[in-house]
């Protein structure tokens, strides 16, 4: 694992990044990396605006994990806002890039990637932002253990549905993207129980 101050990268992340870089003949990866970086910046900005402090940012094969300093806990509403700030940043970027795309066409690609990333992250599947927000909302009405079970079952069902749809699409000669997304979601759900908790 590589570490720079509060930021660390797992071996899986580095291997995935190298593979994507090798396969990226169309030059999509830099734009996707920019959309992902602004997504995390949205989370970070929302945390800092509420007086929170970042303790660690870990980049793994299943995404970025931001851990906050518990000595500066956020309120319930503040935590929900920080979770949703990442997708919101992507949707705002998509709108801005689409408007500027008339002047420089590659910005249309950034707009599409940012819109896709923001929308995908809103799915109520853990560990995506939508799944984290869903867990946080349910925890306000149910005991924590019950809320986690509901989110786990919902996440497993939706991830399996995405995987099945991707398999069907691939058999008809379509893109493997949906199949890979379903597999990626299931990998995230297969992690140890202690890691399937809100990491704020």
């Amino acid at each position: 694992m590589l570490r720079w101050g509060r930021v660390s990268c797992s071996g899986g992340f580095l291997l995935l990044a190298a593979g994507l870089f090798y396969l990226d003949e169309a030059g999509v990866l830099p734009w996707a990396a920019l959309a992902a970086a602004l997504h995390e910046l949205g989370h970070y900005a929302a945390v800092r605006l509420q007086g929170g402090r970042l303790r660690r940012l870990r980049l793994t094969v299943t995404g970025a994990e931001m851990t906050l300093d518990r000595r500066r806990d956020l309120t319930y509403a503040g935590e929900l806002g920080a979770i949703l700030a990442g997708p919101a940043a992507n949707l705002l970027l998509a709108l801005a890039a689409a408007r500027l795309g008339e002047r420089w066409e590659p910005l249309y690609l950034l707009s599409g990637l940012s819109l896709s990333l923001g929308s995908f992250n809103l799915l109520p599947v853990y560990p995506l932002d939508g799944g984290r927000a869903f867990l946080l909302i349910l925890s306000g009405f149910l005991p924590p253990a019950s809320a986690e079970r509901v989110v786990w079952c919902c996440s497993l069902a939706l991830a399996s549905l995405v995987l099945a749809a991707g398999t069907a699409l691939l058999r008809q000669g379509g893109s493997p993207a949906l199949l890979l997304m379903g597999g990626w979601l299931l990998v995230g759900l297969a992690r140890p129980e202690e890691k399937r908790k809100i990491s704020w």
Side-chain angles (χ1 to χ4, degrees):
M1 178 179 295
L2 296 178
R3 187 182 300 273
W4 301 276
R6 296 176 183 173
V7 180
S8 62
C9 296
S10 70
F13 173 82
L14 295 173
L15 185 62
L16 177 63
L20 291 175
F21 180 78
Y22 177 76
L23 296 171
D24 182 33
E25 297 179 355
V28 173
L29 189 59
W31 296 109
L34 177 58
L38 289 173
H39 177 96
E40 296 306 322
L41 188 59
H43 288 309
Y44 179 73
V47 167
R48 292 296 293 159
L49 284 172
Q50 298 177 74
R53 185 176 180 183
L54 178 68
R55 186 163 64 89
R56 184 182 66 185
L57 176 63
R58 186 166 181 258
L59 304 176
T60 72
V61 71
T62 54
E65 298 173 0
M66 192 177 292
T67 305
L68 301 187
D69 188 340
R70 282 296 179 186
R71 293 172 295 181
R72 298 187 181 183
D73 270 341
L74 303 181
T75 64
Y76 181 89
E79 191 171 333
L80 183 60
I83 289 171
L84 296 177
N90 281 133
L91 298 179
L92 290 173
L93 174 62
L95 288 172
R99 290 182 67 92
L100 295 173
E102 297 176 1
R103 299 181 182 179
W104 193 36
E105 196 167 325
L107 289 178
Y108 282 128
L109 175 60
L110 176 61
S111 178
L113 288 169
S114 191
L115 180 62
S116 299
L117 179 61
S119 302
F120 180 70
N121 263 281
L122 287 174
L123 288 175
V125 177
Y126 208 91
L128 299 179
D129 294 326
R132 293 175 184 272
F134 186 33
L135 176 58
L136 192 61
I137 291 169
L138 282 181
S139 296
F141 301 96
L142 299 173
S146 298
E148 285 186 14
R149 279 195 295 271
V150 170
V151 172
W152 170 253
C153 291
C154 180
S155 297
L156 185 61
L158 285 174
S160 300
L161 184 62
V162 171
L163 189 67
T167 302
L169 186 63
L170 189 63
R171 286 178 178 171
Q172 296 176 1
S175 168
L178 198 60
L179 178 65
L180 292 174
M181 286 181 188
W184 180 82
L185 290 173
L186 288 174
V187 167
L189 288 170
R191 297 166 63 197
E193 182 67 30
E194 65 269 18
K195 294 185 178 180
R196 291 201 304 268
K197 296 177 181 177
I198 294 175
S199 60
W200 302 91

